[in-house]
Amino acid sequence: MAAISFSSLHASASPRAFRPHVSRNTPGLTLYSRFTPSFSFPSLSLTLRDTIRSRRPFLIASAANKTLGETELIPIAEAESIPAASGVYAVYDKSEELQFVGISRNIAASVSAHLKSVPELCASVKVGIVEEPEKAVLTQAWKSWIEEHIKVTGKVPPGNKSGNNTFVKQAPRKKSDIRLTPGRHVELTVPLEELVDRLVKESKVVAFIKGSRSAPQCGFSQRVVGILESQGVDYETVDVLDDEFNPGLREKLKSYSNWPTFPQVFVNGELLGGCDILTSMYENGELGNMLN
């Protein structure tokens, strides 16, 4: 999920979207309407004066496309019409009052997250797909829509006001790592493999990593935890290096999954893969679609 205020920006991963030809010398903003598709934020400090006075080349490119006022409202209930692409989006309430303008590398996931957290403020959305999803270009797209709204209404959208965290992504609840046994000196009444099988099948997402979720012990495990955190999904972690409470787990898990390395990520009872597969799915948007 993504959120942005006058003091913070969020950029999420997005899959590849349809990209019409646009000069690489001029960033483009494609406004979206009725398309059928196939979460540490950078800091941004803006004042109202900065927003109104700022004039960048991106605004010239935006002027050739639809403005915020010209962009069609899409009912959020029509979730399939919201693209999982990079860009700028504007959230409106039931009275069609603009509540928040944000940017995201996965607009569909960000809007879905807002709908879950503040459903009373999310009735429809306007979407502009940014062809070059670099931070600077996304920021300029956001500033363009914010500036337009301020020019027309004389005020900042409520969700973008300084100190208003309604649409800001909240830090996920910290969970403890799973311990499969009471301790290595306690005799198990259930085989370790059966304990693993139960955990995998009873949990939506399980990551067997080196170290804990709060202190991963290898770069691959750290990457996996970071990706899962960014998706805002509820997931379990098991430390395969914990020989006190998970004795023998590394070898048992290799035979259980037929996968020789760690970390190992299971989704809905099936092995998804390791860090490389998870990273690839995260970058092309498949992971967000699967988890949401």
Side-chain angles (χ1 to χ4, degrees):
M1 65 190 80
I4 177 172
S5 69
F6 266 70
S7 59
S8 65
L9 279 173
H10 174 59
S12 313
S14 71
R16 298 178 61 86
F18 174 72
R19 298 175 180 272
H21 176 72
V22 178
S23 170
R24 297 188 67 85
N25 295 322
T26 305
L29 173 66
T30 301
L31 278 300
Y32 184 87
S33 172
R34 306 295 181 185
F35 175 77
T36 302
S38 357
F39 81 24
S40 109
F41 295 179
S43 175
L44 174 66
S45 178
L46 294 175
T47 64
L48 182 60
R49 183 172 61 183
D50 292 331
T51 304
I52 294 176
R53 291 184 178 180
S54 176
R55 292 293 188 275
R56 300 292 179 87
F58 182 84
L59 301 185
I60 297 174
S62 296
N65 298 280
K66 291 183 180 179
T67 64
L68 173 64
E70 294 171 335
T71 306
E72 180 184 0
L73 274 172
I74 303 173
I76 288 180
E78 299 180 15
E80 71 281 358
S81 296
I82 302 174
S86 299
V88 60
Y89 62 96
V91 179
Y92 292 76
D93 62 16
K94 293 180 181 179
S95 300
E96 296 190 0
E97 293 290 329
L98 178 60
Q99 295 296 317
F100 176 74
V101 178
I103 61 173
S104 175
R105 294 186 188 278
N106 189 328
I107 296 173
S110 295
V111 171
S112 175
H114 296 324
L115 184 60
K116 291 177 182 178
S117 62
V118 284
E120 68 280 4
L121 299 179
C122 304
S124 54
V125 64
K126 292 184 178 183
V127 173
I129 297 176
V130 174
E131 303 301 337
E132 297 293 338
E134 286 76 13
K135 174 186 172 182
V137 181
L138 288 169
T139 299
Q140 289 301 323
W142 174 77
K143 289 173 66 178
S144 173
W145 279 19
I146 282 282
E147 178 182 277
E148 179 184 340
H149 180 73
I150 293 173
K151 183 177 181 179
V152 173
T153 67
K155 57 185 179 181
V156 176
N160 293 104
K161 290 182 178 179
S162 179
N164 187 329
N165 297 322
T166 302
F167 287 86
V168 176
K169 180 183 176 184
Q170 301 299 313
R173 178 175 59 89
K174 297 297 182 181
K175 297 180 67 174
S176 300
D177 301 292
I178 296 293
R179 292 176 171 178
L180 293 175
T181 76
R184 65 184 306 162
H185 301 297
V186 178
E187 184 177 354
L188 296 178
T189 58
V190 177
L192 182 59
E193 185 170 354
E194 184 174 335
L195 295 176
V196 170
D197 189 59
R198 286 181 186 178
L199 175 63
V200 165
K201 292 180 177 178
E202 293 175 3
S203 306
K204 180 178 177 62
V205 181
V206 182
F208 293 89
I209 62 175
K210 292 182 177 180
S212 64
R213 74 167 66 199
S214 59
Q217 296 300 303
C218 75
F220 297 121
S221 295
Q222 184 175 34
R223 175 67 172 163
V224 164
V225 169
I227 290 174
L228 293 177
E229 290 285 347
S230 74
Q231 299 302 297
V233 66
D234 184 35
Y235 69 100
E236 307 295 343
T237 52
V238 184
D239 181 2
V240 299
L241 300 181
D242 185 351
D243 288 331
E244 176 61 34
F245 294 99
N246 302 319
L249 178 59
R250 277 172 289 180
E251 294 306 314
K252 185 62 66 177
L253 193 58
K254 288 178 183 179
S255 61
Y256 174 81
S257 63
N258 196 29
W259 191 268
T261 60
F262 299 99
Q264 294 184 17
V265 180
F266 291 78
V267 177
N268 296 324
E270 300 292 336
L271 176 67
L272 187 64
C275 181
D276 289 347
I277 292 176
L278 193 74
T279 299
S280 176
M281 294 182 68
Y282 168 71
E283 290 176 346
N284 65 30
E286 290 182 58
L287 183 64
N289 293 334
M290 174 184 292
L291 299 180
N292 291 323

